Amino acid sequence: MMPRSAILMILFIGNFLFFCGPSQSGSKSELQTKGYELKSQFPIREISVRGRVVKNKEKNLYHLEFEPNSIHLIQLHKPSKIQLKLPYVNAQTFVVNLHYKNDAFTSNFTFPEGWIDSSQLEAVFYTKQSFGYKIPLNTIYSPFGKYQSVYRVVDGKAIRLNVEVIGIKENQALVVGDLMLGDILVISRLGELVDGMSVKVNL
């Protein structure tokens, strides 16, 4: 017959493993990440126009022409930049600078030969009538792809949120989306995340 002390020891070890086991496995499922807090926003609104790409005499040099209604919108708001929505899958952001003289504007830009396969393109510019955010480029999942998104931390979980990148400069991106001041975005290990995963964020 097994000694009483041995039985008590087995029960003690069993209870210890029972109570400690779940917490250990739970800690492994919580991903440690770095985070970024949204502390500022800027007013912005997108206006869409249709542009026609026209090739200049110089090699790889083009300019944009617009319908009268689009010209009116551009002259009214006078954007310094206009973004072309290129007809390619996973096309990178391409921005054209506009230069004004009185009521007229010019839009000369260079482009690799043969890249433009459509004379009509949608173009957008932005005015100060809604809000956008400047965030680190590495908070964005697929920043140059078609389905751009970020992971916002809500109640300790990473929730995927679609955003639109409207400009990229060095390691910063300008985005619009359903974001708010004070939101915490995941800034590392995006490839390991799935929507709803538990995370512990270090700011």
Side-chain angles (χ1 to χ4, degrees):
M1 184 175 180
M2 186 177 294
R4 178 182 175 84
S5 60
I7 295 174
L8 291 174
M9 181 60 70
I10 292 171
L11 290 173
F12 174 79
I13 293 172
N15 287 334
F16 178 82
L17 293 175
F18 176 81
F19 286 109
C20 293
S23 62
Q24 289 176 343
S25 63
S27 64
K28 290 180 181 178
S29 65
E30 185 179 68
L31 191 67
Q32 299 272 345
T33 67
K34 294 180 180 179
Y36 175 82
E37 181 179 356
L38 293 182
K39 294 182 178 179
S40 62
Q41 61 186 188
F42 55 93
I44 203 162
R45 175 178 169 236
E46 179 182 288
I47 293 180
S48 178
V49 292
R50 294 290 295 181
R52 188 166 72 90
V53 177
V54 178
K55 195 176 188 312
N56 295 2
K57 291 181 180 179
E58 296 87 349
K59 185 178 181 181
N60 297 345
L61 189 64
Y62 300 83
H63 69 274
L64 301 174
E65 291 182 354
F66 300 93
E67 298 177 355
N69 184 53
S70 294
I71 292 175
H72 171 73
L73 288 172
I74 293 171
Q75 290 174 336
L76 178 65
H77 296 283
K78 288 186 167 53
S80 60
K81 300 178 183 295
I82 193 162
Q83 178 182 320
L84 302 183
K85 293 198 170 181
L86 304 177
Y88 321 120
V89 176
N90 297 332
Q92 294 188 15
T93 299
F94 189 82
V95 177
V96 175
N97 294 317
L98 300 182
H99 303 281
Y100 297 87
K101 187 174 182 180
N102 300 324
D103 289 333
F105 62 89
T106 57
S107 60
N108 292 326
F109 64 100
T110 58
F111 209 80
E113 187 76 27
W115 271 32
I116 294 180
D117 56 12
S118 172
S119 60
Q120 289 285 339
L121 293 173
E122 183 182 2
V124 296
F125 63 88
Y126 301 90
T127 64
K128 299 180 177 180
Q129 296 180 26
S130 61
F131 291 100
Y133 300 87
K134 190 177 193 178
I135 62 177
L137 188 61
N138 57 353
T139 62
I140 305 170
Y141 186 84
S142 186
F144 301 104
K146 187 175 181 181
Y147 302 106
Q148 300 157 345
S149 60
V150 296
Y151 282 98
R152 177 169 55 189
V153 180
V154 180
D155 296 330
K157 297 184 182 300
I159 305 301
R160 190 165 182 168
L161 176 69
N162 292 330
V163 295
E164 181 181 356
V165 176
I166 61 175
I168 293 175
K169 185 175 181 180
E170 297 177 351
N171 64 343
Q172 296 287 313
L174 302 180
V175 302
V176 291
D178 188 19
L179 295 166
M180 296 178 60
L181 291 179
D183 282 348
I184 305 298
L185 304 182
V186 176
I187 202 172
S188 65
R189 306 181 70 176
L190 300 186
E192 301 175 57
L193 288 173
V194 293
D195 194 20
M197 177 181 283
S198 295
V199 293
K200 184 175 182 180
V201 177
N202 298 315
L203 295 178

